[in-house]
Amino acid sequence: MAAGCSKSFTSKYEEEKYYDLEYEEFCKSFAFSNSSTCWICNGYYGPNYEEPLCGTCHSFIFPNHPQDEAEGMVTEVSDDEDSGNDEPPENGSEAKDRSDGDPDYDDLDRPRPSAPRNVNQYLEMLSQPREADDESQRQICALPVEVLLSIFSYLDDLSLWNASEVCKQWKRILEVHIPQQMWKKYTKERWPLFQQISTIPNWLHMYGALMNSCFCRTCLIHMAHKAPMRGRVNHIRANRLRNDIRSLDLDATEGIDAVALDNQLFHWQASILGPAGSPYEGGKFFLYIVIPCSYPMLPPQVRFLTKIVHPNVSRHGDVGIDIIQHNWSLALTISKLLLSVQSLLTDPFTQICMEPELGRMYENDRPKFEALARRWTWKYAMYEVLPPVDGFI
């Protein structure tokens, strides 16, 4: 049990019960250190609004259009300028109708999400301070329902859900006037690997629960925007990704799945199941993968979307694994990369951690770490089997 505890117990049962309650209280109150400000600038560039990074730091470190560092290594552009990929951007399992027989599962009739702001736009905002206008906010809340619905009709699904989080009145309006089938479409559009295993009583609540289960909403906007990369697409990349798609389908590993989100195969969503016997067992964790133009010369960018407690995963979702950071090999495929990430869940590397406080907890108090990891798994990674009832996590 916990080291250095001087409390005495009359029985083993009493001791275990005491520590179970202690761990439960700890798990409920756990928060990353310095979580109230930006993880990078410590609040220098402005508030982070409960995100791991403020907008300025995020746009600088994770730009909207990452420049390929090895652009000079690429070959010629394919004839059709769409990466030369003649196969569908979906693996075998994803090729099935995601609508489950729903004839209304077609293109969404709302606009696409706007691209996240870049560094220049954030710096311009920082140089032009604005004062809060409480009177304007009260006037907006007093608008008739018909006017609000007209305004909401111009919003994409991400903005629409954000509007539902503003106040109970707006959430109630959206629950009443936007059909459940529409929120089901939005969920399938943003989470193509999400599988409906159990009955979902409210798709707005499910959409919101999946959004709230993510480390970083700005990364969700990047994934939804699917902006093309800067750099020339080449035949080597296209042929390699064709083989990667085949390997995901033919050599499928249990608990691992991935699907391309755009025709040029830049943006992918992946999922891994928590390994049996680990505190992540039973959870399904979604990941966001960005494939650079010079792949496989350069490794993909891999981030956890689903919140997870792990020494080698940062509070932003970045994965600290050696084969991505330093020892990338041309022999590695997307399938093998995801298998390595899954293996990392059972065998953390604590000598160099993305989150040192979790590394120390793993080494010094393993039961407390496992209790916390198990609680986060139940809280954020099990919505396929335990859908939200009231919209709250």
Side-chain angles (χ1 to χ4, degrees):
M1 292 299 177
C5 180
S6 59
K7 184 176 178 64
S8 59
F9 302 95
T10 58
S11 67
K12 185 68 174 178
Y13 172 78
E14 182 182 346
E15 180 182 6
E16 292 177 350
K17 184 177 181 181
Y18 171 82
Y19 283 113
D20 286 343
L21 292 174
E22 184 183 68
Y23 290 151
E24 183 178 353
E25 291 301 319
F26 166 77
C27 294
K28 288 181 180 179
S29 61
F30 174 81
F32 287 109
S33 60
N34 197 30
S35 58
S36 60
T37 57
C38 173
W39 183 33
I40 303 299
C41 71
N42 197 28
Y44 181 82
Y45 291 112
N48 61 335
Y49 300 106
E50 299 183 354
E51 294 288 289
L53 281 74
C54 68
T56 306
C57 289
H58 198 290
S59 61
F60 183 79
I61 300 173
F62 305 100
N64 306 343
H65 304 274
Q67 180 70 37
D68 200 304
E69 297 178 2
E71 188 174 345
M73 301 171 59
V74 302
T75 59
E76 62 181 0
V77 181
S78 61
D79 295 335
D80 55 4
E81 297 185 356
D82 68 345
S83 79
N85 181 43
D86 296 325
E87 295 193 3
E90 302 178 348
N91 60 21
S93 61
E94 180 63 21
K96 300 177 183 178
D97 184 10
R98 290 284 181 186
S99 65
D100 299 324
D102 180 7
D104 295 328
Y105 184 66
D106 51 13
D107 292 336
L108 304 181
D109 30 22
R110 289 188 180 271
R112 288 183 58 193
S114 301
R117 296 185 179 93
N118 56 36
V119 175
N120 291 335
Q121 291 171 321
Y122 274 109
L123 291 176
E124 183 178 354
M125 292 173 62
L126 290 172
S127 64
Q128 299 176 357
R130 294 172 295 175
E131 295 182 0
D133 190 347
D134 295 337
E135 182 62 30
S136 297
Q137 295 178 5
R138 285 194 292 268
Q139 291 176 357
I140 291 175
C141 292
L143 289 174
V145 174
E146 294 78 10
V147 176
L148 289 172
L149 288 175
S150 178
I151 295 173
F152 292 159
S153 67
Y154 291 94
L155 301 180
D156 61 81
D157 58 297
L158 296 174
S159 302
L160 197 65
W161 176 75
N162 282 322
S164 74
E165 297 291 289
V166 170
C167 62
K168 293 182 179 179
Q169 177 194 3
W170 287 13
K171 186 169 188 175
R172 179 59 180 165
I173 291 173
L174 293 175
E175 284 182 332
V176 172
H177 293 277
I178 295 186
Q180 286 290 305
Q181 197 65 25
M182 187 66 74
W183 287 110
K184 181 179 180 180
K185 288 182 182 182
Y186 296 156
T187 304
K188 290 178 179 290
E189 173 77 6
R190 300 301 167 217
W191 308 93
L193 294 178
F194 176 82
Q195 296 179 353
Q196 183 181 353
I197 297 176
S198 57
T199 302
I200 297 177
N202 190 311
W203 280 96
L204 170 58
H205 292 172
M206 175 57 73
Y207 185 98
L210 289 171
M211 290 287 289
N212 283 319
S213 70
C214 289
F215 277 114
C216 179
R217 293 185 187 179
T218 307
C219 286
L220 281 175
I221 298 175
H222 281 185
M223 186 177 68
H225 188 61
K226 295 176 284 194
M229 300 296 167
R230 295 175 180 174
R232 301 178 62 196
V233 179
N234 62 87
H235 288 302
I236 296 176
R237 179 184 185 275
N239 293 333
R240 174 58 180 271
L241 286 173
R242 274 199 289 267
N243 292 332
D244 284 359
I245 292 173
R246 290 195 189 99
S247 66
L248 283 167
D249 186 22
L250 300 177
D251 304 326
T253 303
E254 184 178 359
I256 291 177
D257 200 1
V259 59
L261 302 176
D262 62 317
N263 291 332
Q264 292 189 327
L265 310 180
F266 288 124
H267 304 271
W268 292 58
Q269 186 178 114
S271 65
I272 60 175
L273 297 182
S278 73
Y280 312 103
E281 182 177 2
K284 183 174 184 177
F285 299 89
F286 295 99
L287 297 92
Y288 175 36
I289 303 177
V290 180
I291 309 293
C293 292
S294 59
Y295 177 80
M297 303 301 177
L298 285 181
Q301 300 174 17
V302 181
R303 302 171 206 159
F304 270 85
L305 292 173
T306 308
K307 292 178 180 177
I308 184 173
V309 169
H310 194 281
N312 304 117
V313 180
S314 76
R315 69 193 70 186
H316 178 257
D318 308 295
V319 182
I321 187 171
D322 195 46
I323 61 174
I324 299 177
Q325 306 294 337
H326 308 292
N327 292 328
W328 173 254
S329 169
L330 296 179
L332 293 171
T333 62
I334 294 176
S335 179
K336 293 178 180 178
L337 177 61
L338 292 174
L339 183 60
S340 298
V341 174
Q342 188 184 47
S343 301
L344 190 68
L345 299 185
T346 57
D347 189 20
F349 184 74
T350 57
Q351 295 182 10
I352 302 177
C353 299
M354 301 289 282
E355 294 291 344
E357 62 181 313
L358 294 180
R360 290 190 292 269
M361 190 190 307
Y362 181 85
E363 291 292 338
N364 301 328
D365 197 341
R366 187 73 56 86
K368 179 181 287 189
F369 172 85
E370 292 184 349
L372 178 60
R374 191 175 298 110
R375 181 178 179 84
W376 276 45
T377 300
W378 278 81
K379 188 176 181 180
Y380 299 117
M382 299 188 69
Y383 287 121
E384 287 187 346
V385 294
L386 296 173
V389 177
D390 56 1
F392 295 99
I393 296 180

